[in-house]
């Protein structure tokens, strides 16, 4: 299986901060990577696909980059609604696998 | 706008079978190619269980071996998950999801918590 490793596990930030989350794959996955946001008690929500394509309806302050084995999710100016958990997921090979998640909390 | 809703028992006995159904509304299962199940535990995080093509072909996570079966109801508005020989490690929130473009989990049900306990 392709292992996905996210860092950091927890990130403390303030409204207006620029935050970056990193996701590393155990082997090259080209750009077959998605990012999800999850709030407590809710299902994950697709934010980014193909490493850098913004899902319809997702605010433009979210962006993704990377290819191969290293990827980043950036929120340019953190808003109150953005405090949540974020997960990366590869869909290069079966079984699809997820990172362990990054909790973005209020500083 | 398609909506998904999981249903089924929230408590299953060890060694028993976990059975969940996902009801699709606002569209037909035939409208999209693949439909998936994902589960989430505090310890292992998000785990992809498997998927089914509207024609019936399936892909499963090898970690679950032969315990898992995903099927589509003849009504074409529901698909189901069966997981046999469950243990406490199968305690999780189970999500069904629509797969867009063969690999994007773009619409999810709200999740069904399932506890395995005697």
């Amino acid at each position: 299986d392709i292992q996905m490793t996210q860092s950091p596990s927890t990130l403390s930030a303030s409204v207006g901060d620029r935050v970056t989350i990193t996701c590393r794959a155990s082997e090259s996955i080209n750009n077959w990577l998605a990012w999800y946001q999850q709030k407590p008690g809710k299902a994950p929500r697709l934010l980014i696909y193909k490493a850098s394509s913004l899902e319809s309806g997702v605010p433009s302050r979210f962006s993704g980059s990377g290819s191969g084995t290293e990827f980043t999710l950036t929120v340019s100016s953190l808003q109150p609604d953005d405090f949540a958990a974020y997960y990366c997921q590869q869909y290069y090979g079966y079984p699809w696998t997820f990172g362990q998640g990054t909790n973005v909390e209020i500083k | 706008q398609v909506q998904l809703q999981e249903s089924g028992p929230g408590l299953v006995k060890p060694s028993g079978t976990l059975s969940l159904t996902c009801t699709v509304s606002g569209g037909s299962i035939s409208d999209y190619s693949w439909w998936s199940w994902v589960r989430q535990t505090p310890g292992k995080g998000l785990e992809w269980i498997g998927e089914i093509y509207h024609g019936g072909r399936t892909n499963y996570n090898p970690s679950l071996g032969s315990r898992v079966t995903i099927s589509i109801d003849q009504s074409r508005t529901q698909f189901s998950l069966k997981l046999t020989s469950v243990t406490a490690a199968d305690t999780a929130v189970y999500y069904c999801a629509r797969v867009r473009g063969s690999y994007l989990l773009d619409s999810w049900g709200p999740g069904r918590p399932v506890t395995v306990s005697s």
Side-chain angles (χ1 to χ4, degrees):
Chain A
D1 297 4
I2 299 173
Q3 307 302 316
M4 307 300 293
T5 305
Q6 286 182 235
S7 59
S9 296
T10 304
L11 189 161
S12 297
S14 302
V15 172
D17 284 354
R18 179 183 180 89
V19 300
T20 298
I21 298 168
T22 297
C23 177
R24 289 187 174 85
S26 60
E27 62 184 83
S28 176
I29 58 170
N30 292 336
N31 61 349
W32 300 112
L33 183 100
W35 288 97
Y36 298 85
Q37 176 193 67
Q38 187 179 31
K39 296 184 179 177
K42 301 290 188 184
R45 170 198 179 195
L46 178 64
L47 297 178
I48 302 277
Y49 60 95
K50 219 169 180 184
S52 60
S53 296
L54 198 66
E55 176 71 350
S56 175
V58 174
S60 59
R61 61 181 181 272
F62 289 92
S63 64
S65 65
S67 67
T69 61
E70 188 148 337
F71 303 86
T72 58
L73 172 70
T74 299
V75 186
S76 60
S77 177
L78 205 62
Q79 297 302 299
D81 191 48
D82 302 336
F83 291 96
Y86 294 85
Y87 296 88
C88 61
Q89 178 231 332
Q90 66 82 20
Y91 48 94
Y92 176 77
Y94 287 116
W96 299 344
T97 47
F98 294 83
Q100 81 281 13
T102 295
N103 264 322
V104 177
E105 60 179 35
I106 301 173
K107 185 186 283 186
Chain B
Q1 178 84 352
V2 73
Q3 291 188 316
L4 294 86
Q5 178 70 55
E6 305 88 354
S7 60
L11 180 64
V12 183
K13 288 188 176 3
S15 78
T17 296
L18 181 158
S19 296
L20 294 175
T21 296
C22 181
T23 299
V24 178
S25 58
S28 166
I29 282 179
S30 303
D31 291 343
Y32 278 79
S33 297
W34 293 91
W35 302 84
S36 189
W37 286 95
V38 176
R39 67 182 182 180
Q40 185 170 30
T41 61
K44 290 185 71 176
L46 289 162
E47 180 180 27
W48 178 77
I49 296 171
E51 61 183 359
I52 187 163
Y53 186 68
H54 67 77
R57 185 157 56 102
T58 52
N59 292 308
Y60 297 130
N61 192 325
S63 70
L64 296 170
S66 59
R67 298 196 298 132
V68 61
T69 303
I70 299 175
S71 59
I72 289 179
D73 188 87
Q74 292 223 352
S75 68
R76 311 295 296 179
T77 60
Q78 294 181 327
F79 62 105
S80 300
L81 168 69
K82 282 195 185 340
L83 186 64
T84 60
S85 304
V86 296
T87 70
D90 296 309
T91 294
V93 177
Y94 286 77
Y95 296 98
C96 60
R98 183 182 73 179
V99 183
R100 189 181 84 216
S102 297
Y103 32 70
L104 291 177
L105 301 166
D106 75 334
S107 290
W108 297 60
R112 179 66 174 147
V114 178
T115 299
V116 177
S117 175
S118 55

